[in-house]
Amino acid sequence: MILAIGCAMVVSMRMPEDVQTRSGGRLVGGIEGGGTKFVCVIGRGPEDIVAEARIPTTTPGATLSQSVDFFRAESARRGSLAAIGVGCFGPVDLCEGSPTWGFITTTPKAGWEHTDVAGRLGKELGVPVAFDTDVNAAAIGEARWGAAQGLDTFVYLTVGTGIGGGGLLGGQPMHGLVHPEIGHMLLPHDRSLDPFPGVCPFHAGCLEGLASGPALLARWGQPAESLPPDHPAWALEARYLGLALANLVCTLSPQRIVLGGGVMEQTHLFPLIRKEVVALLNGYIRAREILEAIDAYIVPPGLGHRSGRLGALAMAQDRAGSD
Amino acid sequence: MILAIGCAMVVSMRMPEDVQTRSGGRLVGGIEGGGTKFVCVIGRGPEDIVAEARIPTTTPGATLSQSVDFFRAESARRGSLAAIGVGCFGPVDLCEGSPTWGFITTTPKAGWEHTDVAGRLGKELGVPVAFDTDVNAAAIGEARWGAAQGLDTFVYLTVGTGIGGGGLLGGQPMHGLVHPEIGHMLLPHDRSLDPFPGVCPFHAGCLEGLASGPALLARWGQPAESLPPDHPAWALEARYLGLALANLVCTLSPQRIVLGGGVMEQTHLFPLIRKEVVALLNGYIRAREILEAIDAYIVPPGLGHRSGRLGALAMAQDRAGSD
């Protein structure tokens, strides 16, 4: 029996030179813009971060002003920045040419609807700005320096307070009509085994509603990190994540899936999820990566919790290089 | 309330010149390689097909020989072909640089496993060959001349004997580890409402198992085309297709979804499916295209049943143009 072998190896041969070139060079800035805090960094790569600040996400005015102040003060001391990259919570407008490109659009986060993020930062700092979702930024970070080096089609999924996914498809960040909302994928939900209705106010039985940190808390009455590894919560969690990943394999055919976020810090979940994915696909996708090397196919982030901010730096490097 | 408007319009402004250039020019060949027949065409576009042949899919030796004979005989009379495009049933190897690029790989179709299709055609006909899945070819046809003109990220889903999907993501055909197998997405399946277990031998409750033509036949005891529009089969069919499309919106964020194949010739399905998708997404994806213009978002193919063969021609034009 001959199994298909995915495209990863072919692509990877082209990457090292690229990576080396891009990780050196001029100083750039990155922002990981989350619903709780904005992490701002200045540097040239994972081993060369020269300044970092954590700014609480309060109002757009305050948070963006403080971010601008940080970059201004640091670049006055360290030299000008060639560009800034922003990986932002959303939904956001990624549509080049749109009058609201670089805006947070219809977010449920109070006060942040229709906020111009990229335009304001670019104007106040006088630098080019690259802008994408938080999860695409994390994916770009993993592709540049982490667990997805050499791949052109892969998914980064974060499982935490919410569940969101990004990635590269054919070497480009996942955009489209808006951008993916992988956390809202509708999953098989057997109410006789799991009567919990889900926490998503929009969808009964979506991934985020059934498997996010708040779903674990609401279903079991205690936070994920306090549930022991032998608690039945984890088999069910692995089941839902396995269903979602099997569906991602069928729809996106990723060369690898990187799983990050707070819930995935329970690393005992990884083998459970891998087993579910193999069982659910049931031999249909005949790729060596899935049938023989699943441990290298579903993996934790190579950059730990820094994928987003480092990805924002990588985006800034690309933006600077394209001028 | 401001709704996001997708990226389609921005992209479409770049297309007409391209389309015009590519649809004229040199004579090319296309093959829609299906499990039942190979449809071979020669021409320059939808309005300029100069020859066509239907060759039964028997053994690889016989079917490919007859295809070669057709192209040889016709190009002797009409002039040489600049390239040939092939949209092929699969699974296939699309990995550039792979020693088995252009092969059918692990297909269940007897006798066709590990068949070199693209290499053999190229060698025997002495022309460059473009090769992709049947559904990606159909998507490329719809992008060039059909219902997806001007879009760079969309899905083409065929619902018939099997269910398969392809499309463009950021302007490139959907590839990846292997290629998508959208028909095998796992769906919510309420056995109390629909005790039918599905026809897929690999997966309980996958899209193809629950909603393909053979699934309709097995569940209701009569073929899809004989079920009247008011039969309860159609509400259930629309439910499963709606679930699948909602998940495609969440994972791929397509600018449009084109639904082709034999089952979709029951055009009364379209409004039912649109209604399901809007209800299932429940306002979460705040794009005008979904909330206000769903009739133009989920559409039949612009090229009818010819998407695949015309897409193969378009692929050949691109291949010829890239030399």
Side-chain angles (χ1 to χ4, degrees):
Chain A
M1 186 176 66
I2 303 173
L3 297 177
I5 296 173
C7 278
M9 285 181 300
V10 177
V11 176
S12 69
M13 293 187 294
R14 294 203 303 264
M15 296 295 289
E17 189 189 7
D18 244 24
V19 170
Q20 214 166 17
T21 314
R22 290 201 199 122
S23 60
R26 297 155 71 191
L27 213 54
V28 292
I31 299 179
E32 178 183 323
T36 308
K37 63 181 185 292
F38 274 42
V39 179
C40 302
V41 295
I42 295 175
R44 293 181 186 84
E47 311 302 328
D48 188 9
I49 298 294
V50 301
E52 180 164 332
R54 278 146 204 270
I55 295 160
T57 309
T58 53
T59 65
T63 302
L64 292 174
S65 285
Q66 289 172 57
S67 302
V68 165
D69 290 346
F70 163 76
F71 286 113
R72 274 194 187 139
E74 292 294 332
S75 63
R77 292 170 50 201
R78 301 175 191 277
S80 68
L81 305 179
I84 285 185
V86 185
C88 194
F89 75 95
V92 293
D93 184 348
L94 303 177
C95 185
E96 284 175 45
S98 158
T100 54
W101 173 86
F103 278 53
I104 294 171
T105 56
T106 53
T107 183
K109 186 158 177 75
W112 284 81
E113 309 91 335
H114 314 300
T115 295
D116 179 9
V117 176
R120 175 162 174 187
L121 291 168
K123 194 172 157 192
E124 298 199 14
L125 291 167
V127 294
V129 176
F131 185 81
D132 216 312
T133 60
D134 44 7
V135 278
N136 274 341
I140 291 166
E142 290 294 320
R144 184 69 49 88
W145 297 300
Q149 291 180 60
L151 306 184
D152 72 355
T153 297
F154 71 94
V155 174
Y156 174 92
L157 195 73
T158 178
V159 185
T161 309
I163 297 183
L168 300 187
L169 300 175
Q172 299 176 64
M174 289 170 73
H175 293 177
L177 178 68
V178 188
H179 45 70
E181 291 283 359
I182 293 176
H184 295 273
M185 184 197 295
L186 302 163
L187 295 181
H189 177 193
D190 185 339
R191 296 272 185 129
S192 67
L193 296 176
D194 174 27
F196 181 70
V199 295
C200 174
F202 290 89
H203 310 120
C206 76
L207 172 60
E208 181 170 297
L210 294 172
S212 60
L216 285 164
L217 176 62
R219 185 190 284 111
W220 303 106
Q222 56 187 111
E225 59 272 23
S226 75
L227 292 162
D230 60 354
H231 193 285
W234 298 116
L236 191 64
E237 181 73 4
R239 176 76 180 174
Y240 289 129
L241 290 170
L243 284 162
L245 267 53
N247 280 354
L248 291 175
V249 169
C250 290
T251 51
L252 295 165
S253 198
Q255 295 155 342
R256 191 169 296 153
I257 299 175
V258 181
L259 292 179
V263 172
M264 294 312 304
E265 287 173 16
Q266 309 297 318
T267 52
H268 57 84
L269 263 176
F270 279 93
L272 301 179
I273 293 168
R274 291 176 186 130
K275 198 171 165 186
E276 287 286 350
V277 170
V278 170
L280 288 164
L281 291 173
N282 196 23
Y284 186 77
I285 308 289
R286 303 186 72 80
R288 191 184 59 78
E289 288 82 349
I290 293 172
L291 297 176
E292 297 175 7
I294 193 79
D295 290 358
Y297 185 73
I298 297 170
V299 298
L303 302 172
H305 64 286
R306 301 197 303 159
S307 317
R309 63 201 73 166
L310 290 169
L313 271 196
M315 288 161 53
Q317 290 177 337
D318 290 345
R319 183 71 183 80
S322 70
D323 276 347
Chain B
M1 185 177 69
I2 303 173
L3 298 177
I5 296 174
C7 277
M9 284 180 300
V10 177
V11 177
S12 68
M13 292 186 295
R14 293 205 302 263
M15 295 295 288
E17 189 191 6
D18 246 23
V19 170
Q20 216 167 14
T21 313
R22 291 202 199 121
S23 60
R26 298 156 71 193
L27 213 54
V28 292
I31 299 179
E32 179 183 322
T36 308
K37 62 181 185 294
F38 272 44
V39 180
C40 302
V41 295
I42 294 174
R44 293 182 186 83
E47 311 302 329
D48 188 8
I49 299 294
V50 301
E52 182 164 331
R54 279 148 202 269
I55 294 160
T57 308
T58 53
T59 65
T63 304
L64 293 174
S65 284
Q66 288 172 58
S67 302
V68 166
D69 290 347
F70 164 76
F71 286 114
R72 275 195 187 138
E74 291 296 332
S75 64
R77 292 171 50 200
R78 300 174 192 278
S80 67
L81 306 178
I84 286 185
V86 185
C88 194
F89 74 94
V92 291
D93 184 347
L94 302 177
C95 185
E96 285 174 46
S98 159
T100 53
W101 174 85
F103 277 52
I104 294 172
T105 56
T106 54
T107 182
K109 187 161 177 73
W112 284 81
E113 310 92 334
H114 313 300
T115 296
D116 179 9
V117 175
R120 175 163 175 186
L121 290 168
K123 193 172 157 193
E124 297 199 13
L125 291 168
V127 294
V129 176
F131 186 80
D132 216 312
T133 60
D134 43 8
V135 277
N136 274 342
I140 291 165
E142 289 295 319
R144 184 68 49 87
W145 296 299
Q149 291 179 60
L151 305 183
D152 72 354
T153 298
F154 71 93
V155 173
Y156 174 92
L157 194 73
T158 178
V159 185
T161 309
I163 297 183
L168 299 187
L169 299 175
Q172 299 177 63
M174 290 169 72
H175 293 178
L177 178 67
V178 187
H179 46 70
E181 291 283 358
I182 294 176
H184 294 273
M185 184 197 294
L186 302 164
L187 296 181
H189 177 194
D190 185 339
R191 296 272 185 129
S192 67
L193 296 175
D194 174 26
F196 181 69
V199 294
C200 175
F202 289 88
H203 310 118
C206 76
L207 172 59
E208 181 170 296
L210 294 172
S212 61
L216 285 164
L217 176 61
R219 186 190 284 109
W220 303 106
Q222 55 187 113
E225 60 271 24
S226 75
L227 293 162
D230 60 354
H231 192 284
W234 298 117
L236 190 64
E237 180 74 3
R239 177 73 180 177
Y240 289 129
L241 290 170
L243 284 162
L245 267 53
N247 280 354
L248 291 175
V249 169
C250 290
T251 51
L252 295 165
S253 198
Q255 294 155 342
R256 191 168 296 154
I257 298 175
V258 182
L259 293 178
V263 171
M264 294 311 304
E265 287 174 16
Q266 309 296 318
T267 53
H268 57 86
L269 264 176
F270 278 92
L272 301 179
I273 294 168
R274 291 176 186 130
K275 199 170 164 187
E276 288 285 349
V277 170
V278 170
L280 288 164
L281 291 173
N282 196 23
Y284 185 77
I285 308 289
R286 304 185 71 79
R288 192 184 58 78
E289 288 82 348
I290 293 172
L291 296 176
E292 297 176 8
I294 193 79
D295 290 358
Y297 185 73
I298 297 170
V299 299
L303 301 173
H305 63 286
R306 300 198 303 159
S307 316
R309 62 201 74 165
L310 290 169
L313 270 194
M315 287 161 54
Q317 290 175 338
D318 290 346
R319 183 70 183 79
S322 70
D323 278 346

